[in-house]
Structures are given as C-alpha cells and as structure tokens.
Amino acid sequence: MSKTFYVTTPIYYVNDAPHIGHAYTTIAADVLARWHRQRGESVWFLTGTDEHGQKVLRSAQAGGSSPQEWADRLVAEAWQPTWRDLDISNDDFIRTTEERHTRRVQTFLQRLYDKGEIYEGVYEGPYCVACEEFKLPGELIEGEGRDAGQRLCPVHRRPVEQVSETNYFFRLSKYADQLLEHYAAHPEAVEPESARNEVVQFIRQGLQDLSISRSSFDWGVKVPWDDRQVVYVWFDALLNYITAVGYDASEPELREKFESTWPADVHLIGKDILRFHAVIWPAMLMAAGLPLPRKVFAHGWLLVSGEKMSKTRLTGIAPAQLTGYFGSDAFRYYILRAFPFGQDGSFSWEEMTARYTAELANGLGNLASRLTAMTERYRGGVIPSPGEPTEAEQRLGELAARVTTNADAAMEKLDFYGALAAIWELVVALNGYLTEQQPWQVAKRDDAASQQRLDAILYAAAEGLRVLAILLHPFMPRTCTTLWASVGGPEALGPLAAQPLAEAARWGRLPVGARVVKGEPLFPRLPDESPATGA
RNA sequence: GGCGGAGUAGCUCAGCCUGGUAGAGCAAGCGGCUCAUAAUCGCUGUGUCACGGGUUCAAAUCCCGUCUCCGCUACCA
C-alpha cells in the first residue's frame, strides 16, 4: 500500500473565533492538499480544534456555560462555518474532547509511564493567588516603588509567590542529543532554515523535563493512573496528529489507516508554536517509538499595520470581513500570492484591493471574458479546429509546460508564492498573445486562410485557459470550476478535480466542438466604496 | 544582556553567499488596440542601496562600528 500524503494544520484553540491568521495556515494546508490530490496522490488533510485547558474553562465560565457547551458552540458556529466559507477540503476534523482522541491520549500516556518516560515530580513556579494560576517567568513585570525588586502578575499588578505542585514529568531532557542528531541528518524536517536554526540553538542550550499534568483544574484528559490530575493541554493537543488517523486502534481498517498515513508529510504551523512541534512533539514520538513527522513548516505571520494581529489592538480581522467583500477565492489567492510563505507579511486592504483589480479582475478574469466572448461571437460558442500552429502557438504550448513544471517544483518546496508567480506568467502571456494576434482583425477577413487562422488563435487561447483552470484549481476552487465549465471542460474532459497535473500542459487536449459559454465575470469589479473596517 | 533577521525607486520587495554600468511588480506619464470586466499590449522615469569608517583599481555586495525595527531567549494556547 502506498503512503498517503498527510498534511495537517494545528488544531485551533476554541478560546476564540478564527481570525485571518488561522485562515492563512488552513488555506495553505488546503491548497497543498488539493495540489497533491490533483497530482493523483492519495491525500489525508486533517484540521480540528483544541478544547481542553484552563483558558477554555475560564472563557466558558465567563460565558456562563460548561466548557463542553462552550466548545460545541464555537466549533459549530464559528470554526466549521469559517472553513466551509473558505472551501477548506479537510478529510477529517478532530476535536480533542472526542472519545477517539481522549482514549488514545490515555493509552499513549500509560505506555510512556510504563516505560519509565514519565515520573512524578514537583513543579515550582511563580503563582498569582488572585489569578489562581501559575505564571510564565517571561510574562511577569518588574515591580516599582513599593514592590521594587519583586516580580508582579501582569494582570493584578501584585507580587507573585513561588509555589510548588506535584505533577508528572516527561523526560524531555534525555532526547536533546537524539533531536540534534535527527535535525543534522534531516535538515528538511524543520523549515524554513531560520526556524530550524532557532530550534537547533534552543536544543543545544539543553532541555529540561516537561511538566505534563495539572492538578489545579479538571478540564482535560484524566491521567489514567491518577485521576486527580489532567494532562497538560499541549501534550494532549499534539497527539491529535496520531489519534485522528487511528493510533492504537483495534479495528483493522483503522490500523491500516494509521500504517498508511503516519508519519505526517507536513505539519503546517505558525512560527509561534514552533518549539512545541519541533522539540516536544518529536521527543514524545521518540519516547513512544513512533516515526517522526517528515517536515514541520513554520510560516510567517500576517501583520496588520506592521503589528501582529491582536484583539486588544483591534487588528484581528475575521475572514468573513474579507470574503464577504472580495470572495473566498480572491482571499485565498491574495494571502498566498502577496507574501513569501516563510516570512511575515503585512496585510493591507489597499494592497488586496490593488491585486484583486490588477491580477484577478483585469488579468485572469478579463482574459477569460475576451476568449469566451470571441468564441461565442465568431464561432457560435464552439471550440474550433487547432489548424496549423505557428511559432506563436508553439511558444504558448512550451510556456504552459514550463510553467506547470515550475509551479510543481515550487509547491514541492511549499513555495505557494513562487508557484503562483510561475502560473501568472501564463496569464500574462495569454493576454499578450491575444493582443498581438488580433483575432478581431483576422475575423474581418473572409478568406479561408484567415478563417483557419482565427480558428487556431481561438483554439490556442482556449487551451491556455484550460491549463490555467487546472493549475489554479487548488488555489481558487470555486472560480476555476466556473472557468472550467466556460471552456467546455466538464463535458469534454470530465470533472476538473479529475484532471491530472501531469497531463495538464499536454497541448491539444481540448476537443474540437467543446461548448464555450461566456458567463458572468469571474471576478466582478469591486464596488467603489469599500465597507467600513478597521483594516 | 545573549543569539538571529531586516533597513535598496512613492508602495511591496529581489539583488548581497561567488565585489565590476542598481532590478521586478504595483502606482504615475505617453502611445497602440478595441475582442474584453473603461479592460488589454508596448514604451518611459525615478534611487545619498540606514549612517560612519576600512579593504580594493572597483563595495548595495567583503570587514569594523553606530542607529532603528523585528524575532527567539521553555511548560498560555
């Protein structure tokens, strides 16, 4: 059985509703999954929600509901609708409160405990009595005046106490050398390079064992041998990548699923959760004797006005604010086209508007309108014979092939930006081709040679659009389905999703006689005034 | 404080490793075209390459220093 291409997003914390940062990761994962499906590979694309932990408990209490009700509502009313709106094609959606997950988390934990990878110890740290919780050393603030020399809780502005609690610890420290060896042998396992350097540097400093249970609250997976404690939420959350695909399943189909799916080919994450994925997670897998993920890719952040998005600064943008105005496909296109994937990108409404108009409406959309209008007008909406290709048509065919190869190579590197740049060469070339060949002039001449020439031009342009529909389908599924239909693809060649990338650029696949229809513009012109928004 | 990244055209950025007339896209201006969503195609300009030194025949590119911005510096997710 061949290995399934397995791509994941983080499971998102249901403390809050999704913003465009979550959408960025998820859209990238979706495009990657669709690209590999279009290659003809078996693909498994997983996303989901992380629902345990103190913050969810607190949010639920503040909202006057139980944590389970809180999570249920956010998942049903915020997260899943957002992914539906964005045409996210995940194959599964794991929630950490599902029994299939919690049961397997317990099994995993018990195995590590039995192997001596987990021991009972004492966690000591700064604790705020008012918050009733442990604080991170880094979030404390220096006291002034009366509290000079002391460190204060950032919420209550009062000194923290050193408090200790009995917890269970995972022997993370013993895996430092193995992790370093692994990354030396597999540099591709953490990308981009800057992220890998940070991880390696961090591990070199030495690792401490990790406290993986909590006893101060109970919203979590119970530690199987000690029900006074619940599992630390990250330890619980990371395991979703294996529990969702059948780790420790007894059913034969699920065992087979796990064997053919794990290890993950790509864990896509934001760079803020790099350490959990590139240090703790692989160490957990080493301890359990399971294979490590092939790649963790930490992408940059979408910044708004140069700052990380934040609710408190009112810079958090809900995806619906953008999709409602630009459409889901335009949003998917923009965030992958505007910024190299590994780097931070500065989101701006103005830039998105400019790209929408220049690249989608005037570029791709208008190109489709030109071809379909002329085919309807001059040939009654029927794809004519390709006739004798001249050098211009040959160049188009060669470009289509080269662009396909380049885009595929870029996608192999998770370079969505480069892939779109490559594909856009074909959009630009086709607009130039039509302008140079002037089919509207050729159409005015009645002689047979001119009419055959017109056929050839229209055919070549239609071929170009056929290739574009296939190459862009993973990025803009909705629009490309429309485009595919408008060049007669469905009847002539079958469903768009079934068009293999390897065949996409083979020139001349569109059969003579396919029905071309000029429909509504692919990307309608934006209204003059944009909706009021903080962006 | 330590480690790492960045500072190049109005905007977003490439170039820097492997020194040798400073580039792309967008925006702007001019021209062509009229099939198309007032769309498209061609042409044009623009720069103390953060600052100060140094190496060199020659530095955006190498070296030293300074300034500014950002990230990482472990158990919130």
Side-chain angles (χ1 to χ4, degrees):
Chain A
M1 181 171 24
S2 71
K3 168 77 171 71
T4 293
F5 183 83
Y6 181 26
V7 55
T8 70
T9 72
I11 49 173
Y12 301 107
Y13 206 53
V14 293
N15 198 26
D16 230 323
H19 58 61
I20 60 175
H22 302 114
Y24 188 32
T25 316
T26 308
I27 287 170
D30 183 61
V31 170
L32 189 64
R34 287 174 183 269
W35 188 271
H36 281 263
R37 289 191 197 110
Q38 200 99 37
R39 271 188 187 168
E41 297 170 24
S42 162
V43 170
W44 195 255
F45 170 21
L46 176 71
T47 189
T49 44
D50 182 8
E51 309 186 357
H52 289 130
Q54 193 160 29
K55 282 197 177 177
V56 166
L57 180 60
R58 288 260 161 86
S59 299
Q61 286 167 343
S65 59
S66 75
Q68 188 65 62
E69 288 165 350
W70 172 267
D72 288 349
R73 198 173 66 239
L74 267 173
V75 167
E77 295 175 7
W79 291 89
Q80 290 185 327
T82 298
W83 300 152
R84 264 200 305 279
D85 286 349
L86 288 170
D87 294 311
I88 302 304
S89 66
N90 52 301
D91 296 292
D92 192 5
F93 190 98
I94 181 85
R95 300 180 53 185
T96 56
T97 51
E98 289 176 280
E99 196 264 349
R100 62 170 173 157
H101 177 73
T102 56
R103 173 167 39 96
R104 291 172 186 153
V105 167
Q106 289 186 318
T107 311
F108 185 93
L109 209 65
Q110 186 70 54
R111 283 194 187 150
L112 259 53
Y113 189 58
D114 294 344
K115 288 173 73 176
E117 298 284 348
I118 291 173
Y119 62 93
E120 189 174 332
V122 173
Y123 178 79
E124 185 179 320
Y127 185 91
C128 172
V129 179
C131 295
E132 294 177 42
E133 67 183 6
F134 283 96
K135 294 290 161 184
L136 306 181
E139 68 182 327
L140 298 176
I141 55 178
E142 287 298 323
E144 294 171 356
R146 184 164 53 90
D147 299 321
Q150 302 199 75
R151 291 182 308 163
L152 312 182
C153 163
V155 179
H156 295 91
R157 307 266 163 182
R158 47 190 277 186
V160 293
E161 300 171 17
Q162 281 296 112
V163 170
S164 58
E165 157 177 328
T166 298
N167 286 156
Y168 293 98
F169 283 76
F170 168 53
R171 296 188 191 281
L172 180 62
S173 60
K174 69 185 258 202
Y175 290 99
D177 289 342
Q178 276 187 63
L179 285 166
L180 288 173
E181 283 164 27
H182 178 250
Y183 289 132
H186 300 283
E188 77 289 350
V190 180
E191 289 187 354
E193 193 182 354
S194 54
R196 180 166 65 247
N197 290 342
E198 280 189 14
V199 165
V200 168
Q201 190 197 344
F202 175 75
I203 300 171
R204 282 205 184 114
Q205 293 170 5
L207 301 176
Q208 294 173 19
D209 289 344
L210 180 73
S211 160
I212 56 155
S213 69
R214 298 289 184 269
S215 60
S216 53
F217 60 94
D218 67 353
W219 180 236
V221 178
K222 291 251 186 302
V223 171
W225 62 87
D226 181 349
D227 64 8
R228 294 164 305 176
Q229 303 245 356
V230 294
V231 179
Y232 169 48
V233 68
W234 262 110
F235 205 85
D236 164 7
L238 288 164
L239 286 166
N240 92 86
Y241 300 130
I242 57 174
T243 62
V245 290
Y247 165 73
D248 186 53
S250 48
E251 303 86 333
E253 323 83 72
L254 272 177
R255 299 186 80 93
E256 200 170 288
K257 172 78 192 165
F258 186 71
E259 290 305 316
S260 65
T261 308
W262 189 256
D265 291 83
V266 184
H267 287 316
L268 278 183
I269 60 169
K271 62 183 185 178
D272 49 333
I273 53 175
L274 176 62
R275 182 163 311 148
F276 298 96
H277 284 81
V279 179
I280 298 174
W281 177 226
M284 287 165 64
L285 291 165
M286 284 173 174
L290 290 168
L292 306 189
R294 293 180 178 166
K295 188 189 296 298
V296 171
F297 194 104
H299 64 73
W301 281 326
L302 289 184
L303 308 175
V304 176
S305 313
E307 291 182 358
K308 190 186 173 188
M309 262 178 296
S310 140
K311 278 264 155 154
T312 51
R313 291 198 187 104
L314 298 174
T315 50
I317 299 175
Q321 285 178 270
L322 296 167
T323 57
Y325 185 67
F326 294 101
S328 142
D329 278 347
F331 176 54
R332 292 169 59 105
Y333 171 82
Y334 169 73
I335 59 173
L336 294 177
R337 177 71 184 94
F339 326 106
F341 193 53
Q343 300 173 22
D344 288 352
S346 199
F347 173 90
S348 90
W349 191 275
E350 292 74 19
E351 193 205 2
M352 186 169 174
T353 301
R355 282 191 182 271
Y356 179 96
T357 301
E359 295 166 14
L360 295 177
N362 297 352
L364 178 61
N366 186 50
L367 171 65
S369 294
R370 298 175 83 182
L371 182 272
T372 51
M374 285 191 281
T375 306
E376 281 195 346
R377 183 192 292 202
Y378 304 133
R379 289 297 178 262
V382 174
I383 293 285
S385 160
E388 278 300 305
T390 69
E391 203 191 321
E393 287 73 46
Q394 283 169 13
R395 274 204 306 271
L396 271 188
E398 287 160 14
L399 179 65
R402 192 164 67 244
V403 154
T404 303
T405 304
N406 291 348
D408 196 46
M411 289 299 289
E412 193 61 36
K413 296 186 293 181
L414 273 66
D415 179 8
F416 302 94
Y417 174 86
L420 282 171
I423 296 167
W424 231 254
E425 282 185 53
L426 187 55
V427 174
V428 171
L430 283 164
N431 265 322
Y433 171 80
L434 285 179
T435 302
E436 281 160 23
Q437 299 304 320
Q438 304 184 66
W440 52 92
Q441 291 291 354
V442 180
K444 290 175 185 167
R445 297 192 284 271
D446 287 334
D447 60 290
S450 293
Q451 289 305 312
Q452 282 173 21
R453 182 64 200 139
L454 177 61
D455 285 352
I457 295 166
L458 295 178
Y459 184 86
E463 269 292 278
L465 281 173
R466 175 187 63 77
V467 174
L468 284 175
I470 297 170
L471 295 183
L472 289 171
H473 182 231
F475 294 89
M476 298 187 279
R478 230 178 270 189
T479 306
C480 287
T481 299
T482 305
L483 177 60
W484 184 245
S486 77
V487 295
E491 310 83 66
L493 297 165
L496 180 53
Q499 306 302 309
L501 276 171
E503 301 279 299
R506 217 179 72 214
W507 208 247
R509 297 207 71 212
L510 206 52
V512 172
R515 300 291 309 183
V516 169
V517 186
K518 180 176 188 326
E520 295 299 303
L522 254 29
F523 300 97
R525 199 143 278 286
L526 294 170
D528 281 341
E529 66 274 13
S530 67
T533 136

